[in-house]
Amino acid sequence: MLAVDAINKSNSGHPGLPMGCAPMGFTLWDKFLNHNPKNPEWFNRDRFVLSAGHGCMLLYALLHLSGYDSVTIDDIKQFRQWGSRAPGHPETFETPGIEVTTGPLGAGISNAVGLAIAEAHLSAKFNKSDACIVDHYTYVVMGDGCNQEGISSEACSLAGHLKLGKLIALYDDNRITIDGRTDVSFTEDVLKRYEAYGWHVQHVADGDTDIKSIETAIAAAKAVKDKPSIIKISTTIGYGSPNKSDTAGVHGAPLGEEETNLTKQQLNWDYAPFEVPQEAYEQYRKAIERGAKLEADWNQTLSNYSTKYPIEAAEFQRMLRGELPKDWDKDLPSYSADDKGQATRKHSQICLGALGPNLPELIGGSADLTHSNYTDIKGETGSFQSDSPEKRYLHFGVREHAMAAILNGIAYHKSGLIPYGGTFLVFADYMRGSMRLSALSEIGVIYVLTHDSIGVGEDGPTHQPIETIPSLRAIPNMLVFRPGDGNETSGAYKLAIQNRKRPSALCLSRQGMANQPNSSIEKVALGGYILEDCEGDPDLILIGTGSELDLCVQASKHLTKSGHKIRVVSMPCIELFEEQSDSYKEKVFPSSIRKRLVVEAAESFGWHKYIGLDGNSISMNRFGASAPGGTCMEKFGFTVANVIDKAKLLLN
Amino acid sequence: MLAVDAINKSNSGHPGLPMGCAPMGFTLWDKFLNHNPKNPEWFNRDRFVLSAGHGCMLLYALLHLSGYDSVTIDDIKQFRQWGSRAPGHPETFETPGIEVTTGPLGAGISNAVGLAIAEAHLSAKFNKSDACIVDHYTYVVMGDGCNQEGISSEACSLAGHLKLGKLIALYDDNRITIDGRTDVSFTEDVLKRYEAYGWHVQHVADGDTDIKSIETAIAAAKAVKDKPSIIKISTTIGYGSPNKSDTAGVHGAPLGEEETNLTKQQLNWDYAPFEVPQEAYEQYRKAIERGAKLEADWNQTLSNYSTKYPIEAAEFQRMLRGELPKDWDKDLPSYSADDKGQATRKHSQICLGALGPNLPELIGGSADLTHSNYTDIKGETGSFQSDSPEKRYLHFGVREHAMAAILNGIAYHKSGLIPYGGTFLVFADYMRGSMRLSALSEIGVIYVLTHDSIGVGEDGPTHQPIETIPSLRAIPNMLVFRPGDGNETSGAYKLAIQNRKRPSALCLSRQGMANQPNSSIEKVALGGYILEDCEGDPDLILIGTGSELDLCVQASKHLTKSGHKIRVVSMPCIELFEEQSDSYKEKVFPSSIRKRLVVEAAESFGWHKYIGLDGNSISMNRFGASAPGGTCMEKFGFTVANVIDKAKLLLN
């Protein structure tokens, strides 16, 4: 009823799910969920994910009733209002106690797979036969929408493969979607599908009133250790509403006063709006005492562990503090111009190899492109599997969207793990929904995106990114790096690792490029910097990134010989450049110097911020073509000669 | 062996699949596929989709062997070279006979669902009990990768629901992916999953040599009319290669000379590179005669049909010619400034209602947001279901990515159908992979994307697009419309319908906005135009789109009163503006007038092409927030007062 009242007051929201899922929510939180309302950050809590995020009032109500300080009754009264801690979907960055930002359907259950992977990995890594410091379940409430989305299919197939026994999903089977009854589009046998994935499946036929069966089913799911569990709980959407229950009308619109009164009558609910019966508080808030004891017991366990295993305990606690190990970056390589040029994907592999031994929290893999993305960590063997969860390499399969969501889930676990994942840059499109959530939720996932331009070559336009880099740059809070040599790749990794509140997208080449004499790891932090310069004010500024940086450098040499004063600016990360001081930006790009030419084998979209109305670009304003990479580069104008020509057009 | 030779010669490509799938390819094309090699466009052909597009040499070999003029032996020798008709993945726009552009995994099988929907719809619409002019199968070869991708899960769940009996997928079960054996990440029971979707499933245990069983299985699949079929065919990747078969090494790298020789020995293949045994040509090219007869018979059927049903026949043939009906746009509404302002999503619904009766080829729906996107066609009842395939409304379920791929599939059917589909703009991210393919493959899918800014309001930042519009604008060949009132919405629809070689993304508001006195349907074709102007040269140009256009108009009135000369430019479609003449563009944005202010409730990314280094923007450079839409607009600076303030900063 709190949900009904809040949604009526805000005149906006989704009452159907909270009304239908109250029984399963109550059962789970009252009987099973290990958490400490007075410390939402307590490490060993069970994670609860409301994958059907539109039903957030269920979650706010559970948090409030259970005694979380983060959601007061006043917050609930401010549901969906400016500045409220009860926003329209659950958001980790607004409300302590929210584990995962949800709303985009299918993402939450997929994040939960990541949470369960993190738990399994840390359990295997830290637990001892006589001291178990990592031991919790991940619970999910998901709806029909979550089960229709492909991302959940990908993630749940992988969860079954990995036998994530501590992942338990409660599937709110209410047979209603926005378009009406699910039978207009969704008549598959969901449980059979999950069985095919290797999950343990159960069905509770009456989720509206049969709390005992829900309890029994959750207990049974917990007992199955070698399979994730799904419990299909058949409910009535908007349960209790005499005229709107079991209709799409109650999914996403307020009940309204009249129907609310009828609902209260039907449910024998004799309380004013926002009035919570004392007995409800009393029952729910037993969680406070239980939680305090759970945390105290765990603290004792950790204390014993620390005595017996001081090195492991120190490491565990360092990770929980989110503190990087001393000298974690000491092996990141630097290069001189004499070092042989390599592809930045190769430099990336070297970085991962250099970081791996010094940064045990680094965990990741590839969406089935390990030997193309070079995402392996040198010297490590084996991968995270059901019988080797201590390993940190993840084979995601050909499942980009789930990969991104799982990486988010690992980050959401807040245990210091630093997740990374690789695919071809062009397939960032497949996982963009979850990349956006990394940025929105302020979590430092690292995306290793190789084959970053038409330099991909023969695979052709389906595999050649054109618009992908600009479209990633458009995402707020996403750091997009396109390093131009070995030093810049090391610098990009250093910054990606350090930025634990911002995701990073590393755009890396398939093909080799020269190392620059004046690049450095440190300069990457400036986002853009003067790589080569002339004496006095330049006549023209060349701007380059990635594999096109060296074209600018070579062209500048020719142009300098012809008597022109040329500056070359390397721009490995536009976002970081934008955060520099105005005076620094003015130093790099003096307002008075308007002859500017950017060279990047991608759409020019976005670059006019630097070249303005008077500059020019050598860029890709069409899709690519299938041919050897060098041929593509040449045919599309990415040659030193063309840079010189276009520069001269500006200079003359 | 053609695949082996071509890949060796180009030193790039994927021999594993063609070698493993040659038996199923031969069986299907020799025994079942109805097509006419001498007329790849013959309407009633079976559609063949190679969903595992990297195996394209299989398809080029089949086309060449069967006698298609589009793939000669010289084309095959130019595999993956600049200008070749045998590019690195199958591309419809390069090679006649290719039905679908594939490569991004999972997309092809999902397109095939669209092809099968198109066939079922047209069958129901045109066929008569005594004259069947639409009657073909859609065949797919898909791999493990396709089955791991979530998009295929979405599409195949829907295909099962819709009982698309003429869709038959051959699943190349070779148990190898790039990362090694599939058992590192993919151990689900695929056939059981498809059974759960409602598909007919079969297994051929030996796909390497047991051609008879493949034939029997395809025949059985054809006989099942009320379910789509999947036949799991267990094969050996790189079959015949003694050292590389059954390894990831043969997936995506040439066999090389030595291993090729060993393979030829093992397969008793005594021919030179690119040499095709005469008996192979003879067997395959029986397809030419068969095809000619099939088409002749069909022409006769059509001729009989035309006699008996002249009106339907004329309509059918008009559609096949891709010709729009006379006066199709006659009911598209125009508005005056006196007409009550409405949300552009509402205008969109009115447009669909106005087009529906006059444009019977319009077919589409929504990813379970019909009553939010307003994608229904007024006056029409019912939807495309297994028992009502003549209906043209599609309930896609909560499956955005499959929706986009299915829309592509309907367009790929090339029968004049004009597909559209709706979801929230922010969830364009979920379907971006397939939106990109609409643009690349030059097909006129219409994306109806509502809730286009922070104006969404209470649903909050997970549902408020910020970077989505810019990121769509970055896609080559995509028309992105953001209409600013009723006239511009009608204009956007008119252009979207007319552009059959370019997809359109219509970005539409949740909230209302005023109708402008000087907008018109026709002006939208200019992409950007002067909506309000001053006498003589303006001091400042305000640029607006969508719901922010009226802010510019209102601000210009105030500023004009204060004695400033203001121009307001409406920019409903940047891409079309870019295609205007230089003189027109100069007229709208004179180079000398540098004081320019753009107002758009989205990332400013991309707008500097018009505002340059000297202009400014009122835009969103962070994620939004959960609050009523009007509050969000105000808090983030989208007010007339702020436009005036920012304009004055530029003017002073």
Side-chain angles (χ1 to χ4, degrees):
Chain A
M1 291 312 300
L2 270 182
V4 170
D5 294 336
I7 292 162
N8 279 340
K9 180 161 188 289
S10 70
N11 198 28
S12 168
H14 302 77
L17 184 143
M19 295 170 78
C21 291
M24 71 177 84
F26 168 74
T27 308
L28 179 63
W29 282 54
D30 187 61
K31 299 279 193 293
F32 296 98
L33 197 72
N34 286 334
H35 62 135
N36 182 2
K38 294 305 173 195
N39 180 11
E41 299 285 313
W42 171 47
F43 169 75
N44 203 41
R45 67 193 182 277
D46 290 336
R47 266 58 169 184
F48 175 77
V49 176
L50 182 67
S51 190
H54 52 274
C56 55
M57 261 313 306
L58 174 73
L59 183 45
Y60 301 141
L62 288 166
L63 289 168
H64 171 66
L65 293 170
S66 304
Y68 282 73
D69 299 325
S70 51
V71 184
T72 65
I73 198 77
D74 287 329
D75 290 318
I76 289 177
K77 288 178 184 169
Q78 287 299 303
F79 180 55
R80 295 187 153 223
Q81 303 309 304
W82 183 264
S84 168
R85 284 192 293 188
H89 286 86
E91 295 163 1
T92 52
F93 47 92
E94 295 287 359
T95 321
I98 303 290
E99 303 287 359
V100 162
T101 301
T102 53
L105 294 175
I109 174 71
S110 309
N111 298 150
V113 174
L115 289 166
I117 285 173
E119 197 270 350
H121 176 67
L122 295 170
S123 297
K125 187 174 166 127
F126 287 109
N127 288 350
K128 306 288 180 181
S129 57
D130 60 348
C132 187
I133 56 173
V134 185
D135 180 18
H136 70 79
Y137 282 82
T138 300
Y139 295 102
V140 182
V141 167
M142 67 193 301
D144 288 304
C146 292
N147 272 322
Q148 290 179 73
E149 291 285 5
I151 182 175
S152 70
S153 299
E154 296 177 2
C156 293
S157 171
L158 185 59
H161 167 77
L162 295 175
K163 303 184 196 296
L164 299 171
K166 292 163 95 173
L167 173 63
I168 297 175
L170 312 186
Y171 161 34
D172 171 29
D173 167 46
N174 64 29
R175 299 164 308 285
I176 292 289
T177 59
I178 293 177
D179 272 11
R181 305 205 69 80
T182 50
D183 64 10
V184 300
S185 66
F186 188 56
T187 47
E188 64 168 66
D189 182 340
V190 175
L191 289 189
K192 184 170 178 174
R193 167 155 67 91
Y194 275 82
E195 226 169 31
Y197 293 148
W199 286 49
H200 174 250
V201 306
Q202 299 178 80
H203 182 205
V204 173
D206 171 13
D208 294 332
T209 65
D210 187 0
I211 286 188
K212 189 69 209 164
S213 290
I214 297 173
E215 186 181 338
T216 307
I218 298 174
K222 286 186 69 174
V224 176
K225 306 282 191 192
D226 61 346
K227 289 179 174 184
S229 276
I230 183 168
I231 307 168
K232 170 169 141 176
I233 304 180
S234 296
T235 67
T236 304
I237 192 170
Y239 179 76
S241 161
N243 299 303
K244 294 191 173 176
S245 68
D246 200 29
T247 72
V250 76
H251 165 84
L255 278 194
E257 192 181 333
E258 190 178 342
E259 186 68 12
T260 299
N261 290 335
L262 294 172
T263 303
K264 288 184 175 180
Q265 280 172 31
Q266 178 151 323
L267 296 174
N268 294 317
W269 184 264
D270 197 19
Y271 299 95
F274 299 104
E275 184 183 349
V276 177
Q278 198 52 39
E279 57 185 321
Y281 274 135
E282 278 166 15
Q283 182 64 29
Y284 271 102
R285 293 198 171 170
K286 289 177 186 166
I288 298 175
E289 198 178 323
R290 278 200 310 268
K293 181 165 185 328
L294 285 166
E295 181 164 353
D297 289 351
W298 181 77
N299 283 336
Q300 187 57 54
T301 305
L302 182 61
S303 168
N304 297 344
Y305 182 93
S306 302
T307 311
K308 286 188 187 166
Y309 310 103
I311 295 168
E312 291 91 332
E315 177 72 354
F316 177 70
Q317 290 177 309
R318 175 189 69 73
M319 281 180 62
L320 292 205
R321 286 194 305 273
E323 193 179 292
L324 296 174
K326 193 163 168 293
D327 293 335
W328 62 273
D329 59 343
K330 68 181 166 61
D331 296 330
L332 275 178
S334 290
Y335 300 86
S336 81
D338 296 334
D339 289 314
K340 183 170 177 292
Q342 299 198 78
T344 47
R345 65 171 168 153
K346 193 72 198 169
H347 285 301
S348 166
Q349 186 184 37
I350 294 166
C351 288
L352 286 169
L355 291 167
N358 304 325
L359 201 58
E361 54 263 57
L362 195 64
I363 178 171
S366 166
D368 196 45
L369 288 169
T370 296
H371 309 301
S372 296
N373 302 143
Y374 294 148
T375 37
D376 51 312
I377 297 176
K378 194 182 168 190
E380 303 230 348
T381 55
S383 62
F384 183 105
Q385 297 289 346
S386 59
D387 57 359
S388 55
E390 74 284 1
K391 299 285 185 183
R392 56 171 159 164
Y393 196 75
L394 293 160
H395 291 291
F396 292 100
V398 189
R399 304 181 181 105
E400 296 84 6
H401 203 175
M403 174 173 74
I406 289 168
L407 297 174
N408 283 346
I410 293 171
Y412 280 133
H413 199 254
K414 293 190 194 159
S415 42
L417 293 171
I418 300 179
Y420 73 95
T423 184
F424 289 151
L425 174 60
V426 80
F427 298 132
D429 279 359
Y430 269 48
M431 57 182 182
R432 193 170 161 89
S434 285
M435 294 181 80
R436 180 180 210 264
L437 288 169
S438 312
L440 175 62
S441 282
E442 301 169 5
I443 48 181
V445 170
I446 301 171
Y447 294 97
V448 180
L449 305 169
T450 69
H451 297 63
D452 72 349
S453 75
I454 49 167
V456 164
E458 292 88 345
D459 274 347
T462 54
H463 285 58
Q464 294 169 348
I466 300 299
E467 73 288 18
T468 322
I469 293 174
S471 70
L472 293 175
R473 286 181 181 142
I475 302 177
N477 198 41
M478 172 79 72
L479 296 174
V480 180
F481 294 96
R482 188 168 189 247
D485 70 355
N487 288 333
E488 289 194 356
T489 309
S490 291
Y493 264 96
K494 183 167 179 176
L495 290 156
I497 297 288
Q498 285 173 328
N499 274 281
R500 297 290 82 232
K501 295 245 173 199
R502 305 175 78 168
S504 294
L506 308 180
C507 305
L508 304 165
S509 73
R510 179 186 183 213
Q511 74 276 25
M513 63 190 80
N515 283 301
Q516 296 300 331
N518 299 319
S519 66
S520 75
I521 292 179
E522 291 69 32
K523 287 176 186 168
V524 179
L526 299 166
Y529 63 92
I530 300 169
L531 182 75
E532 300 286 346
D533 210 1
C534 53
E535 296 223 354
D537 285 340
D539 302 324
L540 177 139
I541 302 175
L542 291 171
I543 310 165
T545 77
S547 46
E548 288 72 71
L549 182 60
D550 194 55
L551 298 181
C552 295
V553 171
Q554 297 309 319
S556 85
K557 286 182 187 164
H558 281 82
L559 291 162
T560 302
K561 275 188 200 155
S562 327
H564 298 288
K565 296 199 291 178
I566 307 293
R567 169 175 293 177
V568 178
V569 173
S570 177
M571 283 282 265
C573 181
I574 289 180
E575 297 78 20
L576 290 176
F577 180 73
E578 283 297 313
E579 292 168 16
Q580 304 307 311
S581 68
D582 286 345
S583 64
Y584 176 75
K585 286 192 270 189
E586 175 67 22
K587 201 181 107 197
V588 175
F589 293 117
S591 316
S592 59
I593 296 165
R594 297 287 174 116
K595 294 180 177 179
R596 304 177 184 184
L597 175 62
V598 67
V599 188
E600 184 174 68
E603 247 282 350
S604 63
F605 205 79
W607 277 114
H608 289 80
K609 188 162 191 178
Y610 305 99
I611 61 175
L613 303 180
D614 307 302
N616 202 355
S617 68
I618 297 176
S619 54
M620 286 295 298
N621 296 320
R622 53 155 285 185
F623 289 109
S626 172
T631 306
C632 286
M633 282 294 188
E634 192 189 319
K635 294 280 185 184
F636 289 114
F638 297 94
T639 62
V640 174
N642 192 39
V643 178
I644 294 169
D645 287 351
K646 291 288 185 299
K648 284 186 175 166
L649 279 178
L650 284 174
L651 286 164
N652 294 337
Chain B
M1 291 310 301
L2 270 182
V4 170
D5 293 338
I7 293 162
N8 279 340
K9 181 160 188 288
S10 71
N11 197 27
S12 167
H14 302 77
L17 184 143
M19 295 170 78
C21 291
M24 71 177 85
F26 167 74
T27 308
L28 179 64
W29 283 55
D30 187 60
K31 298 280 193 295
F32 296 97
L33 198 74
N34 285 335
H35 62 135
N36 182 2
K38 294 305 174 195
N39 180 11
E41 299 286 313
W42 171 49
F43 168 74
N44 203 39
R45 69 195 182 276
D46 290 336
R47 267 57 171 185
F48 175 78
V49 176
L50 182 66
S51 189
H54 52 276
C56 56
M57 262 312 305
L58 173 72
L59 183 45
Y60 300 141
L62 287 166
L63 289 168
H64 170 67
L65 292 171
S66 304
Y68 282 73
D69 299 325
S70 51
V71 183
T72 65
I73 197 77
D74 287 329
D75 290 318
I76 289 177
K77 288 178 183 170
Q78 287 300 303
F79 180 55
R80 295 187 152 222
Q81 303 309 302
W82 183 264
S84 169
R85 283 193 293 188
H89 287 85
E91 295 163 1
T92 51
F93 48 92
E94 295 288 1
T95 321
I98 303 290
E99 303 287 358
V100 161
T101 301
T102 54
L105 293 175
I109 174 71
S110 309
N111 298 149
V113 174
L115 289 166
I117 285 174
E119 197 270 348
H121 176 65
L122 296 169
S123 298
K125 186 174 166 125
F126 287 109
N127 287 350
K128 306 287 178 182
S129 58
D130 60 348
C132 187
I133 56 173
V134 185
D135 181 18
H136 70 78
Y137 283 82
T138 299
Y139 295 103
V140 183
V141 167
M142 67 193 300
D144 288 304
C146 292
N147 272 321
Q148 289 178 73
E149 291 285 5
I151 183 176
S152 69
S153 299
E154 295 177 3
C156 293
S157 171
L158 185 59
H161 167 77
L162 295 175
K163 304 186 195 296
L164 299 171
K166 291 164 94 173
L167 173 62
I168 298 175
L170 312 185
Y171 161 34
D172 172 29
D173 166 46
N174 65 29
R175 299 164 308 284
I176 292 290
T177 60
I178 294 177
D179 272 12
R181 305 205 69 80
T182 50
D183 64 10
V184 300
S185 65
F186 188 55
T187 47
E188 64 168 64
D189 182 340
V190 174
L191 289 189
K192 184 170 178 175
R193 167 155 67 91
Y194 275 82
E195 227 168 31
Y197 294 148
W199 287 49
H200 175 250
V201 307
Q202 298 178 79
H203 182 207
V204 173
D206 171 14
D208 294 331
T209 64
D210 188 1
I211 285 187
K212 190 70 208 160
S213 290
I214 297 173
E215 185 180 339
T216 307
I218 298 175
K222 285 186 70 174
V224 176
K225 305 282 190 192
D226 62 345
K227 289 178 174 184
S229 278
I230 184 168
I231 307 167
K232 172 169 140 175
I233 304 179
S234 296
T235 67
T236 303
I237 192 169
Y239 178 76
S241 160
N243 299 304
K244 294 191 173 176
S245 68
D246 200 30
T247 72
V250 77
H251 165 84
L255 278 193
E257 193 182 332
E258 189 178 342
E259 186 67 12
T260 298
N261 289 335
L262 293 171
T263 303
K264 287 185 174 181
Q265 279 172 31
Q266 178 152 322
L267 295 174
N268 294 317
W269 185 264
D270 197 19
Y271 299 95
F274 298 103
E275 184 183 350
V276 177
Q278 198 52 38
E279 58 184 323
Y281 274 134
E282 279 166 15
Q283 180 64 27
Y284 271 103
R285 294 199 170 168
K286 289 177 187 168
I288 298 175
E289 198 178 324
R290 277 201 309 269
K293 181 164 185 328
L294 285 165
E295 181 164 353
D297 289 351
W298 182 78
N299 284 337
Q300 187 56 53
T301 304
L302 182 61
S303 169
N304 297 345
Y305 183 93
S306 302
T307 309
K308 286 189 188 167
Y309 310 103
I311 295 167
E312 292 91 332
E315 177 71 355
F316 177 70
Q317 289 176 310
R318 176 188 69 72
M319 281 179 62
L320 292 204
R321 286 194 303 273
E323 193 179 291
L324 296 175
K326 192 163 168 292
D327 293 335
W328 63 274
D329 58 343
K330 70 181 164 64
D331 295 331
L332 276 177
S334 290
Y335 301 85
S336 80
D338 296 334
D339 289 314
K340 184 170 177 292
Q342 299 198 78
T344 46
R345 66 170 168 153
K346 192 73 198 169
H347 286 300
S348 166
Q349 186 185 37
I350 294 167
C351 287
L352 286 169
L355 292 167
N358 304 324
L359 202 58
E361 54 263 56
L362 195 63
I363 178 172
S366 166
D368 196 46
L369 287 169
T370 296
H371 309 300
S372 295
N373 302 143
Y374 294 148
T375 38
D376 51 312
I377 296 176
K378 194 182 168 189
E380 304 230 348
T381 55
S383 63
F384 182 106
Q385 296 289 345
S386 59
D387 57 358
S388 56
E390 73 285 1
K391 299 284 185 185
R392 56 171 160 163
Y393 196 75
L394 293 160
H395 291 291
F396 292 100
V398 190
R399 304 180 178 106
E400 297 82 8
H401 203 175
M403 175 173 74
I406 288 169
L407 297 173
N408 284 345
I410 293 171
Y412 280 133
H413 198 253
K414 292 191 194 158
S415 42
L417 293 171
I418 300 180
Y420 73 95
T423 184
F424 289 151
L425 174 60
V426 79
F427 298 132
D429 278 1
Y430 269 49
M431 57 183 182
R432 195 171 159 88
S434 285
M435 295 180 81
R436 179 179 211 264
L437 288 169
S438 313
L440 175 62
S441 282
E442 300 169 6
I443 49 182
V445 170
I446 300 172
Y447 294 96
V448 180
L449 305 169
T450 70
H451 297 65
D452 71 348
S453 76
I454 50 166
V456 165
E458 293 89 344
D459 274 348
T462 54
H463 284 58
Q464 294 169 349
I466 300 299
E467 73 287 17
T468 321
I469 293 174
S471 69
L472 293 175
R473 287 181 181 141
I475 302 177
N477 198 42
M478 172 78 73
L479 295 175
V480 180
F481 294 96
R482 188 169 189 247
D485 70 356
N487 288 332
E488 288 193 358
T489 309
S490 290
Y493 265 95
K494 183 167 179 176
L495 290 156
I497 298 287
Q498 284 172 330
N499 275 280
R500 298 290 82 232
K501 294 244 174 199
R502 305 174 78 169
S504 293
L506 309 180
C507 305
L508 304 165
S509 73
R510 179 187 183 213
Q511 75 277 24
M513 63 190 79
N515 284 301
Q516 297 300 330
N518 299 317
S519 66
S520 75
I521 292 179
E522 291 68 32
K523 287 176 187 168
V524 179
L526 298 166
Y529 63 93
I530 300 169
L531 181 75
E532 299 286 347
D533 210 2
C534 52
E535 297 222 353
D537 286 340
D539 302 325
L540 177 139
I541 302 175
L542 290 171
I543 310 165
T545 77
S547 46
E548 289 71 70
L549 181 60
D550 194 56
L551 297 181
C552 295
V553 171
Q554 297 308 320
S556 84
K557 287 181 188 165
H558 281 82
L559 292 162
T560 302
K561 276 187 199 157
S562 326
H564 298 289
K565 295 199 292 179
I566 307 293
R567 169 174 294 177
V568 177
V569 173
S570 177
M571 284 281 267
C573 182
I574 290 180
E575 297 77 20
L576 290 176
F577 180 74
E578 283 296 315
E579 291 167 16
Q580 304 306 310
S581 68
D582 286 345
S583 64
Y584 177 75
K585 287 192 270 189
E586 176 67 21
K587 201 181 107 195
V588 176
F589 293 116
S591 317
S592 59
I593 296 164
R594 296 289 174 113
K595 293 179 178 179
R596 305 178 183 182
L597 175 62
V598 67
V599 189
E600 185 174 67
E603 248 281 350
S604 62
F605 205 79
W607 277 113
H608 289 79
K609 187 162 191 177
Y610 305 98
I611 60 174
L613 303 181
D614 307 303
N616 202 354
S617 68
I618 298 176
S619 55
M620 288 295 298
N621 295 319
R622 53 155 285 184
F623 289 108
S626 172
T631 306
C632 286
M633 283 294 187
E634 192 190 317
K635 294 280 186 184
F636 289 115
F638 297 94
T639 62
V640 174
N642 193 39
V643 177
I644 293 169
D645 286 352
K646 292 287 185 301
K648 284 185 174 166
L649 280 177
L650 284 173
L651 285 164
N652 295 335

